[in-house]
Amino acid sequence: MGKRDRLAQLLERTGALRLALGARGRLGSPWLTVLTYHRVAAKGSEGLFDAGTIDVTPDAFERELAFLKRWFDVIGMDDLLAYRRGGKLPGNPVLVTFDDGYLDNHAVALPLLREAGLRATFFIATSYVEERRLFWWDHVSYLLKSSKKDAVDLTYPAAQHLPLGPTVEASIVRALRTIKDHFDLDLPRFLGEMAQAADVSLDREGERRLTEKLLMTWDEVRELRALGMDVQSHTGAHRVLQTQPLDVLRKDLTSAREKLEEVLGERVQTVAYPVGKPIRSDHERREVVRSAGYELGFSYGTGVNLLGRLDPFDVRRFAADLDVTPELFRARMALPYI
Ligand SMILES: [Zn+2]
């Protein structure tokens, strides 16, 4: 057990946690907390897809929602947009968000949210839903985990030796690192070369079939909205903003917003940055996000927001984590700097 877990247990045992939570409710919180989830599923149920996207089990999600309902004011995106324009937030605000557009968001998270009477915002990577494509991290994972070879050797964008077998997870992480970091990577070329080197054939029909078990359809996305959830943009291509030329980025951000507006029949004004690296001091990219029609941009894994100092193009978000104990979850919600 780690130091933070022990501290969380101590806070709970001594009643300090309840005191802190009660004070946040009574006196008003200095922070806006935004929680981020990707998939709600049983641990280890990813099969050939990426293991890292399952960040909460259905049981834990249900428990976390009950905790939020008891101690916090769960707000919607319209509340945050109104705050941004000078309105007020409730005393102890928290926003629940989901990234990407996984099917379990609709099948598992939606019923639990409705049962709790709470709202969440779903950020959708539009090209994948529209074209029935596997997300690139699931695509890489599928290729490397299905390969019968001992290793995969790549030449583009640089020579890379990826051992499979027992170390496949480490190789997946390395391959994903290339996609996350390499400027202007030709992604179809990278994935095509990987499929060839792995000797795994994945044609369009095969990929389409795989997405049926993994991604929502537009009908399901529309249903989220019809049942009171918020649906917003997670870009189209789900590429790291910093790795994209500005004109490519502008086009992608704009077309993703327009696609969602067409699907939902309403304005879409916020975006969650893929992978979530902040653009705090990147003035060019901030301007691209703004001029593509967005009022708020969300980063990821960046902590909480001090109210009164909310950066509209770096709204910070907490990352959910399958390995966070219930005690640590509650402690971090009460006192975010634990
Ligand atoms: Zn994402």
Side-chain angles (χ1 to χ4, degrees), residues 17 21-22 24-25 29 31-37 56 59-76 90-98 109 112-113 115-121 304 318 320 326 328-336:
L17 186 74
L21 285 165
R24 261 183 92 143
S29 165
W31 305 292
L32 163 70
T33 305
V34 185
L35 285 169
T36 310
Y37 302 91
V56 72
D59 283 352
F61 187 60
E62 190 174 11
R63 202 168 49 225
E64 289 171 10
L65 289 180
F67 171 82
L68 296 179
K69 191 174 169 135
R70 163 82 177 81
W71 294 103
F72 287 79
D73 300 308
V74 177
I75 62 168
N92 196 10
V94 63
L95 185 71
V96 178
T97 68
F98 279 84
L112 292 174
L113 282 158
E115 220 166 279
L118 297 177
R119 298 165 73 176
T121 297
V304 292
F318 251 161
L328 185 56
F329 175 82
R330 291 192 287 266
R332 284 168 82 190
M333 287 305 297
L335 302 162

Side-chain angles (χ1 to χ4, degrees), residues 276-321:
K277 198 169 155 191
I279 52 169
R280 252 162 242 160
S281 49
D282 185 338
H283 297 291
E284 284 177 327
R285 280 177 177 73
R286 290 174 72 98
E287 180 50 27
V288 168
V289 173
R290 195 197 61 74
S291 66
Y294 296 101
E295 275 193 48
L296 295 172
F298 293 75
S299 56
Y300 172 65
T302 38
V304 292
N305 304 279
L306 202 51
L307 284 168
R309 291 184 50 192
L310 184 78
D311 179 342
F313 293 108
D314 178 25
V315 183
R316 298 174 184 201
R317 297 192 297 165
F318 251 161
D321 185 335

Side-chain angles (χ1 to χ4, degrees), residues 38 99-102 123 125 135-137 234 238 272-276 317:
H38 296 81
D99 281 5
D100 301 333
Y102 281 105
F123 291 105
F135 295 124
W136 46 256
W137 51 99
H234 195 31
H238 200 289
Y273 309 141
V275 185
R317 297 192 297 165

